[in-house]
Amino acid sequence: LVQPCVSLLHYGVIHSYASFSLLSRAWKQHRKQAESRHARRRALILLLGDSITQLSFSAVNAGWGAHLADQYQRRADVLNRGKSGYNTDWYLNYLNTTEGKQDIFGSDHNPMNVRIATIFFGANDASDAVLNPRHHVPLQRFKDNLKKIASTITQHIGHHVKIIIICPPPVHHETRLKYQVQRYGDNATGKLERTLQLSGKYAQAAAEVANELNVPHLNLWKDMQNAAPGPDEPWSKYLNDGLHLSREGNIFVGQRLTELIKKNFPELAVTPCPHTDYPGNSASVCPGLDHFGPWHDHINHTDPMQSFRKKRKMTIESNGERHQD
């Protein structure tokens, strides 16, 4: 009777040890997979909009999207998904295609990594219904479309994403008419298919949607005119053809957007180096976004691999904590 009990006990010990070994190996494998995922977890900033967004990477005009990329170097990649000539109707149609979903929400990137998303429409939607029916979107449908785009972002990315709505800029009539002549010559109509009044209505509508959704907004229509007031409309310097942003306009948007992020999402704002005003060195700070690769002045030149291992461990632990939140 004693011998079977011993055998059973021995079997139980072996079985428990085997189970423990399997669990241990499974845990190590899980840990390696988790480390691999976290090691690739660079944050993303997603820009949705029309041509004013598509052109925001312009090097010649100091694009506002390029300004963001500069601010977030080594911390976040900026994805420009602006579509020139699109209104909110067309963008929503694009979002409902397989190509659109993959392009915006990722076949080559993880949408869960998107921390900030901007929605910047209205310049085309605000076209005159008679003179430019191709681009015109009725005001109420424009508002509904903005809400649908915001909802789609949250659905595919998650509620952690910080959404910012950017209202369309003002339209400068004189510059717009000059542009007509420059581009179309004798075929220029001399009629304004986009106006300051119409863009103002759509800017107000976008601001109302932002307030309804409880997300911050940047009202360029008001801010640009307030920043450079006067009877000669000096705010026209922010526009290169009366509609799209000039170099000064892009710098204006980039700076105002950075200020808005700092005010509303301080954990995602980059504080540049106090000595050089450079956003990408060891003295720059961004509480909510880790930098990738140790700063050069943190690398031990006698044993550089030690510095890289230490930074990798810190990145995994930091991202793991944020992922769990």
Side-chain angles (χ1 to χ4, degrees):
L1 182 62
V2 174
Q3 187 173 356
C5 289
V6 172
S7 298
L8 286 173
L9 179 61
H10 181 68
Y11 173 79
V13 169
I14 293 175
H15 184 267
S16 297
Y17 178 78
S19 298
F20 176 79
S21 297
L22 288 171
L23 287 172
S24 179
R25 285 197 295 270
W27 168 250
K28 288 179 181 179
Q29 183 66 24
H30 171 76
R31 179 69 178 176
K32 286 182 179 179
Q33 291 174 350
E35 289 181 4
S36 178
R37 287 196 303 270
H38 291 314
R40 294 193 297 269
R41 196 175 293 277
R42 182 182 286 248
L44 302 172
I45 299 173
L46 181 62
L47 314 180
L48 308 187
D50 49 38
S51 58
I52 301 178
T53 296
Q54 181 175 320
L55 295 170
S56 72
F57 273 13
S58 169
V60 174
N61 285 321
W64 61 270
H67 176 89
L68 285 179
D70 180 51
Q71 284 291 305
Y72 286 93
Q73 52 186 273
R74 289 180 65 166
R75 291 185 168 97
D77 290 335
V78 180
L79 305 180
N80 187 335
R81 295 299 184 264
K83 308 295 178 186
S84 180
Y86 278 40
N87 55 28
T88 52
D89 278 349
W90 297 353
Y91 209 93
L92 272 175
N93 286 332
Y94 181 62
L95 282 175
N96 285 324
T97 65
T98 300
E99 178 188 347
K101 287 185 176 70
Q102 290 180 345
D103 179 30
I104 307 300
F105 302 116
S107 57
D108 57 351
H109 61 271
N110 185 349
M112 294 299 294
N113 294 349
V114 177
R115 305 299 296 277
I116 298 173
T118 62
I119 303 174
F120 190 175
F121 291 95
N124 293 318
D125 300 71
S127 297
D128 185 276
V130 175
L131 297 176
N132 188 2
R134 171 180 170 81
H135 284 116
H136 171 75
V137 174
L139 194 62
Q140 185 56 51
R141 192 162 83 223
F142 170 69
K143 294 177 70 173
D144 293 339
N145 287 349
L146 288 180
K147 293 176 185 177
K148 290 177 183 177
I149 292 172
S151 176
T152 303
I153 290 173
T154 303
Q155 175 187 346
H156 286 272
I157 296 175
H159 291 279
H160 68 275
V161 66
K162 309 300 184 185
I163 293 175
I164 299 170
I165 290 180
I166 305 177
C167 307
V171 174
H172 190 253
H173 294 178
E174 183 180 350
T175 307
R176 195 69 189 151
L177 291 172
K178 286 181 180 178
Y179 171 76
Q180 266 194 28
V181 174
Q182 290 173 357
R183 178 163 184 181
Y184 300 107
D186 294 339
N187 293 322
T189 64
K191 298 178 181 179
L192 289 165
E193 86 290 356
R194 294 171 173 86
T195 68
L196 180 64
Q197 292 71 27
L198 282 172
S199 60
K201 290 180 180 178
Y202 281 71
Q204 179 60 33
E208 290 172 0
V209 169
N211 290 333
E212 288 180 38
L213 298 179
N214 195 30
V215 300
H217 70 278
L218 184 60
N219 194 330
L220 295 180
W221 193 88
K222 286 185 176 180
D223 291 349
M224 286 183 166
Q225 294 182 78
N226 290 337
D232 295 332
E233 299 179 331
W235 52 265
S236 64
K237 67 182 180 180
Y238 297 128
L239 308 166
N240 62 13
D241 60 0
L243 176 68
H244 298 93
L245 300 178
S246 64
R247 182 180 179 87
E248 287 182 271
N250 272 299
I251 293 172
F252 181 91
V253 175
Q255 291 176 342
R256 290 299 178 98
L257 190 54
T258 300
E259 292 168 4
L260 183 146
I261 293 171
K262 183 177 182 179
K263 178 181 177 181
N264 292 274
F265 315 120
E267 74 281 5
L268 298 179
V270 177
T271 301
C273 170
H275 306 292
T276 64
D277 201 36
Y278 182 44
N281 65 15
S282 60
S284 65
V285 178
C286 183
L289 298 177
D290 188 29
H291 64 279
F292 279 71
W295 303 116
H296 73 88
D297 49 344
H298 290 176
I299 295 176
N300 180 353
H301 73 282
T302 62
D303 186 6
M305 199 60 202
Q306 179 187 23
S307 304
F308 288 100
R309 289 195 189 99
K310 181 179 178 182
K311 178 64 182 66
R312 181 169 179 266
K313 181 179 179 183
M314 290 171 61
T315 300
I316 292 168
E317 292 175 350
S318 177
N319 283 333
E321 290 172 3
R322 282 203 294 268
H323 183 64
Q324 289 172 0
D325 292 340

